[in-house]
Amino acid sequence: MKKLDLILILDFGSQYTQLIARRIRELKVYCEIHPYSFDAKKIAIEGKYNLKGVILSGGPASVLDKNSPKIDETLLEYFTNNKIPVLGVCYGLQLISFLKGGKISKSKHREYGHSQISLTKKSLLFSDTRKNSVVWMSHGDSLNEIPKGFAITSKSINGVVSSIEHTAGKVYCVQFHPEVNHTEEGKKIISNFVFKICDVKNKFTPSSFIEEKIREVKNTSGNSNVICALSGGVDSSVAAILVHRAIGEKLHCIHIDNGLMRKNESRKVVELFRKNFKIKVKLVDASKLFLSRLKGIKDPEKKRKIIGKTFIDVFEREAKRIKSVKYLVQGTLYPDVIESVSFKGPSAVIKTHHNVGGLPAKMNLKLIEPFRELFKDEVREIGLKLGLPKYFINRHPFPGPGLAIRILSDVTKSKLELLRDIDEIYMEELRSNNLYDKIWQAFSVLMPVQTVGVMGDERSYENVAGIRAVTSTDGMTADFFDFSQEFLRGLSNRIINEVKGINRVVYDISTKPPATIEWE
């Protein structure tokens, strides 16, 4: 099997570092983020990947500060000597310039936000881009004197140097952030660096990833049994199917019905895996235990802690019944790994899946995390390739604590049934009107209030249902979905007419920020 080509990103603490990785992954090119202190020579020595290029990220520090993060100049020489191209972004430009003898000073024209640049000479980095374009700036220092051997390739509207290059050494630097959407030619600039300068050819594909991970899981687990907490979410589901491809009957999946799922969800999940994938799944009905522990609890954080602790108790009990278990499968994703590592240095603490936090240490199990290098959309691609139905892969996000945090009061069996019925109608209406796939996340909440109504010429005093639907690209910001009046009228009528106990429906039109997507 051909080794994957790799773009290495060294992180200096920029809020946009993950975006650099996202843009490169969108090009179907494999990349990894590591702290700036990471020894990049290791990748070349270990030989797992073909190191094709390096990106130095932006960061909040000033290279003029005594304790600002820096790399050794010998590392830049190593990249040059091995013909590995380097791209410095924002702080990366200033650091490379500083190390190479350029002059950096506090800017006379500090640039934050939108700016315009003009190309001053032809450059491979700017191939097929406009001479004048809008970029996103975020810097308080500027390059006053470029290093020897470098050439200026663009300047901002304020006359500030906005990009330089040393073509012989394959070093390219930009003062702006090409990774953010506000930079008009950003995607093209990153693509030019990856393909025209780094000459990446062996791209990341779902098929190659699956083959590699199957081999890796086989070698790791050996003859041991492996367990998986199959929640029914995308990450754990795709992980279970991939691991089952690798080790077959040695995988033991446990699905815990906590009574807080959507309507008939536990039954549907278990049937899907048993029938479609021939995977052994033990269904554990622990709904009474969860409800008894949640009795009278209104605070959402207390609900979360109780649900997490109860999940661990039940899972640990069930896992002990399986002999010779040494490994636990988790759907840890790359953002979880990145967020747990400080750019100031490697961290040994890796964030675990929200459903099994603390489980490995307590049960003395080793982890199998097949997706720790992937983003969510890449896991969805893998899932489709492994045969999971599209409707399952594209489901809206669902919180770990389930409907418990969508009931804005204490949790009871009757309230759960009420909310499940509301949510079922809501999802049916979204799908029948071809709206489901246009929305990032949609859900219902059961309000902690009752209101007066008139039903069948009689006074009613019943519950209020809240409806939420948002559009988003990453969940970090969100806007409410602009439903037609006709849709909202039809949805409200169905819920009030079909769900006994509801006499009023309200639609949440707040954005994130200042609100959040979930209510609790």
Side-chain angles (χ1 to χ4, degrees):
M1 181 182 172
K2 288 182 179 179
K3 288 191 289 187
L4 275 178
D5 290 345
L6 168 72
I7 301 295
L8 173 66
I9 302 165
L10 295 180
D11 181 23
F12 289 86
S14 170
Q15 60 182 317
Y16 302 129
T17 302
Q18 275 201 44
L19 277 179
I20 300 174
R22 291 295 306 123
R23 298 294 170 255
I24 294 172
R25 292 287 184 90
E26 285 166 5
L27 297 170
K28 305 299 180 189
V29 173
Y30 187 68
C31 63
E32 288 185 359
I33 299 173
H34 289 278
Y36 74 91
S37 55
F38 176 75
D39 183 2
K41 297 174 188 176
K42 279 184 179 179
I43 287 180
I45 294 167
E46 289 171 356
K48 185 178 179 181
Y49 303 106
N50 296 318
L51 181 56
K52 300 293 285 187
V54 178
I55 298 177
L56 308 188
S57 83
S62 166
V63 294
L64 302 173
D65 296 340
K66 184 179 178 182
N67 296 319
S68 61
K70 294 182 177 72
I71 58 173
D72 198 300
E73 191 181 348
T74 59
L75 188 60
L76 289 178
E77 291 173 2
Y78 172 81
F79 296 144
T80 299
N81 293 338
N82 288 276
K83 296 182 170 55
I84 300 169
V86 176
L87 174 63
V89 174
C90 195
Y91 181 85
L93 171 143
Q94 295 165 10
L95 177 60
I96 290 171
S97 300
F98 180 83
L99 294 174
K100 292 292 186 181
K103 302 297 182 186
I104 307 290
S105 66
K106 295 294 179 185
S107 297
K108 291 180 181 177
H109 295 284
R110 295 193 304 169
E111 296 176 307
Y112 295 98
H114 291 90
S115 184
Q116 189 177 68
I117 63 165
S118 296
L119 302 183
T120 56
K121 73 182 291 287
K122 283 189 175 181
S123 167
L124 205 54
L125 189 65
F126 294 96
S127 293
D128 303 318
T129 65
R130 286 168 286 181
K131 184 177 180 181
N132 302 305
S133 64
V134 172
V135 299
W136 186 260
M137 293 282 195
S138 182
H139 66 99
D141 293 346
S142 293
L143 176 59
N144 289 341
E145 187 178 315
I146 67 172
K148 187 178 179 180
F150 282 74
I152 297 171
T153 54
S154 72
K155 286 189 175 183
S156 77
I157 198 168
N158 296 315
V160 175
V161 174
S162 51
S163 61
I164 60 174
E165 66 183 26
H166 188 298
T167 53
K170 294 193 173 184
V171 180
Y172 299 79
C173 304
V174 294
Q175 184 60 75
F176 55 90
H177 289 274
E179 66 273 24
V180 302
N181 286 327
H182 303 291
T183 298
E184 291 178 335
E185 301 282 8
K187 290 181 181 179
K188 186 63 181 173
I189 291 167
I190 292 172
S191 176
N192 285 338
F193 178 71
V194 168
F195 296 118
K196 294 191 174 183
I197 294 170
C198 297
D199 195 31
V200 167
K201 287 189 171 66
N202 297 335
K203 297 168 76 174
F204 173 89
T205 65
S207 296
S208 63
F209 177 87
I210 291 167
E211 290 172 18
E212 175 63 27
K213 283 299 167 185
I214 285 174
R215 276 195 293 269
E216 192 178 295
V217 170
K218 278 181 180 177
N219 293 335
T220 300
S221 63
N223 292 319
S224 303
N225 281 325
V226 176
I227 56 172
C228 175
L230 185 63
S231 67
V234 170
D235 305 332
S236 68
S237 297
V238 180
I241 295 168
L242 189 144
V243 172
H244 184 258
R245 286 269 186 101
I247 63 173
E249 295 294 302
K250 292 198 291 288
L251 174 67
H252 299 264
C253 291
I254 300 169
H255 177 81
I256 298 170
D257 180 0
N258 56 16
L260 309 171
M261 310 282 275
R262 288 168 284 205
K263 196 166 188 176
N264 299 321
E265 181 147 16
S266 287
R267 178 179 58 77
K268 289 175 183 176
V269 167
V270 171
E271 281 181 2
L272 175 68
F273 283 84
R274 285 176 180 171
K275 291 181 179 179
N276 291 33
F277 299 98
K278 311 301 179 190
I279 295 176
K280 287 189 295 187
V281 183
K282 182 171 184 180
L283 174 59
V284 181
D285 185 356
S287 54
K288 289 182 180 178
L289 176 62
F290 278 85
L291 273 175
S292 67
R293 291 188 178 182
L294 286 168
K295 187 175 181 180
I297 304 298
K298 296 180 180 179
D299 181 78
E301 282 308 307
K302 286 183 180 178
K303 289 179 186 177
R304 283 186 174 91
K305 288 177 182 177
I306 289 168
I307 292 164
K309 172 69 166 58
T310 306
F311 181 93
I312 290 171
D313 291 344
V314 176
F315 188 80
E316 183 179 19
R317 182 193 71 203
E318 295 300 324
K320 284 180 178 177
R321 294 172 179 171
I322 304 167
K323 296 179 180 179
S324 305
V325 174
K326 291 185 179 179
Y327 294 92
L328 170 70
V329 177
Q330 285 192 177
T332 308
L333 301 185
Y334 198 39
D336 300 327
V337 177
I338 296 167
E339 288 164 9
S340 67
V341 180
S342 164
F343 79 92
K344 293 180 180 178
S347 169
V349 181
I350 300 298
K351 182 164 62 175
T352 54
H353 191 280
H354 63 259
N355 274 345
V356 287
L359 205 58
K362 191 173 181 181
M363 297 177 64
N364 197 28
L365 295 174
K366 296 176 183 177
L367 294 180
I368 290 177
E369 298 172 301
F371 305 139
R372 59 180 291 113
E373 304 103 338
L374 301 188
F375 288 93
K376 187 82 170 186
D377 57 328
E378 292 170 325
V379 173
R380 286 193 171 107
E381 280 190 62
I382 300 294
L384 289 172
K385 195 75 179 174
L386 289 169
L388 267 172
K390 193 172 181 180
Y391 77 84
F392 188 94
I393 288 290
N394 292 333
R395 286 186 309 167
H396 295 173
F398 188 69
L403 299 180
I405 58 165
R406 291 178 178 172
I407 293 173
L408 311 184
S409 60
D410 60 316
V411 181
T412 65
K413 188 175 180 180
S414 60
K415 289 178 183 177
L416 284 164
E417 292 303 325
L418 205 60
L419 186 53
R420 271 193 271 268
D421 289 342
I422 297 164
D423 199 64
E424 182 82 351
I425 291 170
Y426 189 15
M427 296 305 112
E428 284 176 5
E429 287 296 305
L430 289 176
R431 289 192 168 96
S432 66
N433 285 276
N434 297 316
L435 294 172
Y436 187 88
D437 291 333
K438 296 177 182 178
I439 294 168
W440 166 269
Q441 188 174 4
F443 58 91
S444 318
V445 294
L446 189 62
M447 312 280 277
V449 293
Q450 291 180 307
T451 64
V452 174
V454 179
M455 301 183 78
D457 295 326
E458 292 183 3
R459 179 183 183 276
S460 68
Y461 193 64
E462 294 181 335
N463 299 281
V464 180
I467 300 300
R468 181 80 158 135
V470 297
T471 56
S472 180
T473 55
D474 53 14
M476 301 301 291
T477 61
D479 197 2
F480 65 90
F481 188 80
D482 194 10
F483 285 123
S484 67
Q485 279 193 12
E486 183 183 5
F487 175 83
L488 289 173
R489 186 179 292 110
L491 176 64
S492 176
N493 286 342
R494 270 203 72 186
I495 291 172
I496 291 171
N497 289 334
E498 296 178 33
V499 183
K500 189 176 180 181
I502 299 292
N503 70 354
R504 194 178 297 268
V505 176
V506 296
Y507 182 51
D508 180 353
I509 57 169
S510 51
T511 61
K512 178 185 179 181
T516 55
I517 295 177
E518 292 281 351
W519 281 39
E520 288 190 340

